[in-house]
């Protein structure tokens, strides 16, 4: 037995503060020795915060942005009794230095795949001689020093994973020869060390020196630590990227300006993100909760969407209000409106700049763009373009509705790039990996990136060289989509890239400055290979709905005249309400006439994005034969379900103040009554079409056509059915009074206009249908 000597620091004066250990987190596994460890760490200059293992979540721990992580001793088994310790090690390994003491070491072994079992002896306050490899924690520590042990469990040699090396060991005193017990492990790549003994014990020699060695570790990997030592730097390792290396590799005044600008942007984004994460409701934990609750908008595959384009090359159209190199470009642009223009012009992806200081973007732009494209058929993929260095930013983008994010190789070291790439993939997001030279291209390829963007703009000099993409395109495997970024402004640029095998281009400034972006896109990319949807590009007869039918005969006449929709009022107590018996007869007439006239309206959809209401209009036009519409007003949803099933309603019309969300619950398309100035009239993804009518309906009161035109002019994607006081004589004039926006009136609805003395007139029905079909 070794002599018992008190090796404690006693009243030793504390060392100088260590700036690189300004936010050390110590996880307390309910062990009194935790505070001895705390004392030694503070004496060596660390600023330490202590949290019990069930006091906070890993997400909350991440928000605290620790500089180092220490896992304390504790009772029990690491797999059952260590709280968040194991998950904390999983997350921070490879990012910051991590140390485990006793149970902390056992957690490390367990996390990386080893097993913790009975050590063959029970020790409580026993000292043993320590042998070690003189590396890491043991730098300048003598061999054979006494260390204090309190444990009955230990890692086993047989199951120790290859990524963990034994850094120290002790020989048992039992009668089993020279059997050794693992006293310390070190990860072969990450700055992760664990000790089975207690360096903080008064009976352990050099314990404070070991903890001092730990505080001198930098970065998340031994490679990073060597880089810091080689450079002579005493600053904290930048685990989020090696921007300094990129900046240092440039020369000249222009490069210095660019490097300083890139550095300024990077530093500003870091500060912004750190501040944002402290705001309640915007922390990483909050974002994780939103994501786990499936509150992120539905996503599509960015890589797959780039393979779909009406043009020979796919277009990533960018929303960029300003840039450091060009200053203000278009500060007044409405991001969601611009996104819809891009989508309907055939863009495969929409890039949204979210950096606020230099590019004048925001996360609100990203959310609004995603919302604006809700319900679009084959909508473009949404790319968040920013200076991304953290998992928080990627998760924030996903929750806001992004399908992909930008990872700039120049800003990230190889390990950090790989970490962020894998994290994005875990959220089903294939990133756009940006490169500017051959070395960065090789990194992207080794990473396994499926979409690589070659930036023709050098981020340090700001010079644009369109040959950059040309030089690098052939380095990529065939299964990688190569995108040319920056400086593209003419059809000649596009044609050259197409011949070289480039599959996509990103255009920002030129599009933002274009007076007519949709026209510019067509001029830039050339004639589309397939038709592109832009506005109402087909002249078709109006859809006609004859409402208030109460007899099978009236329904039959309306169908024979060419009516598309046969409406029956199912609101109790209304003068035009139909009896259930008559409703069944009308239903039989409507359904018996399916296929009775040719489906002249069916046509191929254009390739590319199609707005919600245009798509719904096309679907309604393409239906074979007449459709039965049941009209309800402020009735229970259960009644609507029952009547829809009983009468085989093809369409439901909501004519009261029903919640807009009901349209998603009803199993058939929904027409919903609105007044022109109602707020939700253009909300996509719910009602198939808005029906403009007075509050009562069937009153014969005309709506203000000026108000209708104003509503339609606000939203190019809106399509409506017009009702209210229409008849065969005033129909054409009513549509014409709306003006150019009248092209977005896709259907008309009539009830009182085909009646005489409250009874449907068969001749008026025929005349109304005829008048409606003559309007194109």
């Amino acid at each position: 037995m070794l002599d018992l000597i008190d090796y404690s620091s006693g009243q030793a004066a504390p060392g100088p503060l260590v700036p690189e250990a300004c936010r050390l987190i110590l996880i307390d596994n309910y062990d009194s020795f935790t505070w001895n460890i705390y004392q030694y760490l503070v004496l060596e200059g660390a600023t330490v915060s202590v949290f019990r293992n069930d006091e906070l979540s890993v997400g909350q721990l991440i928000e605290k942005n620790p500089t180092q992580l220490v896992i304390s001793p504790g009772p029990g088994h690491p797999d059952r009794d260590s709280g968040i310790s194991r998950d904390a090690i999983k997350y921070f390994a490879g990012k910051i230095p991590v140390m485990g003491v006793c149970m902390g070491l056992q957690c490390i072994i367990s996390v990386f795949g080893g097993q913790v079992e009975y050590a063959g002896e029970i020790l409580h306050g026993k000292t043993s001689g320590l042998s070690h490899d003189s590396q890491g924690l043991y730098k300048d520590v003598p061999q054979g020093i006494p260390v204090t042990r309190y444990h009955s469990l230990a890692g086993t040699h047989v199951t120790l994973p290859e990524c963990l090396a034994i850094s120290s060991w002790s020989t048992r005193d039992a009668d089993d020869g020279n059997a050794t017990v693992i006293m310390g492990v070190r990860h072969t790549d990450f700055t992760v060390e664990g000790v089975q003994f207690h360096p903080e014990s008064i009976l352990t020699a050099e314990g404070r020196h070991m903890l001092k060695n730990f505080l001198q570790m930098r970065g998340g990997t031994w490679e990073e630590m060597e880089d810091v030592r080689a450079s002579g730097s005493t600053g904290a390792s930048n685990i989020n990227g090696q921007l300094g290396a990129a900046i240092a590799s440039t020369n000249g005044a222009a490069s210095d300006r660019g490097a300083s600008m890139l550095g300024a942007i990077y530093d500003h984004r870091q500060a912004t993100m750190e501040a944002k994460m402290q705001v309640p409701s915007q922390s990483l934990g909050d974002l994780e909760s939103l994501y786990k609750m499936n509150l992120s908008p539905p996503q599509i595959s960015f890589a797959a969407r780039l393979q779909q384009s009406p043009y020979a090359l796919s277009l990533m159209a960018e929303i960029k209000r300003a840039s450091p190199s060009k200053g203000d470009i278009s500060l007044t642009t409405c991001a969601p409106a611009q996104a819809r223009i891009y989508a309907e012009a055939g863009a495969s992806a929409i890039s949204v700049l979210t950096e606020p200081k230099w590019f004048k973007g925001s996360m609100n732009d990203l959310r609004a763009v995603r919302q604006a494209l809700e319900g679009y058929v084959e909508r473009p993929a949404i790319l968040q373009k920013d200076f991304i260095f953290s998992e928080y930013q990627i998760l924030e983008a996903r929750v806001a509705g992004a399908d992909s994010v930008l990872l700039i190789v120049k800003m990230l070291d190889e390990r950090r790039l790989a970490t962020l790439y894998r994290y994005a993939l875990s959220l089903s997001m294939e990133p756009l990996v940006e490169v500017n030279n051959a070395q960065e291209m090789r990194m992207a390829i080794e990473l396994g990136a499926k979409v690589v963007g070659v930036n023709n703009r050098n981020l340090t000099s700001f010079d644009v060289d369109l040959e950059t993409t040309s030089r690098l395109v052939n380095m990529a495997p065939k299964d990688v989509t190569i995108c040319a970024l920056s400086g593209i402004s003419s059809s000649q640029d596009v044609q050259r890239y197409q011949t070289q095998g480039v599959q996509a281009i990103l255009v920002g400034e030129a599009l933002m400055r274009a007076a007519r972006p949709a026209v510019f896109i067509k001029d830039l990319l050339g004639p589309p290979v397939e038709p592109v949807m832009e506005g109402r590009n087909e002249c078709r007869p109006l859809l006609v709905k004859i409402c208030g039918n109460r007899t099978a005969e009236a329904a039959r006449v309306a169908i024979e005249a060419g009516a598309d929709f046969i409406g029956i009022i199912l609101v109790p107590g209304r003068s035009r309400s139909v009896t259930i018996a008559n409703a069944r007869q009308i239903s039989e007439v409507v359904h018996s006439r399916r296929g009775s006239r040719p489906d002249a309206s069916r046509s191929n959809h254009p390739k590319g994005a199609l707005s919600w209401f245009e798509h719904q209009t096309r679907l309604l036009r393409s239906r074979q034969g007449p459709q039965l519409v049941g009209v309800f007003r402020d009735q229970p949803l259960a009644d609507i379900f029952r009547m829809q099933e009983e009468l085989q309603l093809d369409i439901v019309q909501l004519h009261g103040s029903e919640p807009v969300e009901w349209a998603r619950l009803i199993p058939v398309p929904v027409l919903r009554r609105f007044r022109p100035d109602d707020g939700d009239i253009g909300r996509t993804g719910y009602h198939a079409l808005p029906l403009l009518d007075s509050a009562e309906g069937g009153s014969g009161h005309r709506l203000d056509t000026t108000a209708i035109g104003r509503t339609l002019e606000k939203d190019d994607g809106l399509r409506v059915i017009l009702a209210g006081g229409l008849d065969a004589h005033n129909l054409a004039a009513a549509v014409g009074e709306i003006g150019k926006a009248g092209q977005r009136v896709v259907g008309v609805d009539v009830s009182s206009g085909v009646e005489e003395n409250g009874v449907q007139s068969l001749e008026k029905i025929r005349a109304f249908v005829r008048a409606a079909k003559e309007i194109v």
Side-chain angles (χ1 to χ4, degrees), residues 533-538 540 621 719 742-745:
M533 162 62 196
E534 184 181 1
R536 182 178 175 181
N537 64 346
E538 296 178 345
R540 292 182 179 275
R621 290 189 190 280
R719 306 288 185 269
Q743 292 182 342
R744 297 179 202 134
V745 175

Side-chain angles (χ1 to χ4, degrees), residues 320-329 358-360 457 509:
K320 178 169 67 174
R321 295 192 179 93
S323 74
S325 60
K326 296 301 178 79
D328 293 346
I329 297 172
W358 286 273
F359 292 87
K360 310 300 189 218
R457 188 187 306 279
E509 180 187 348

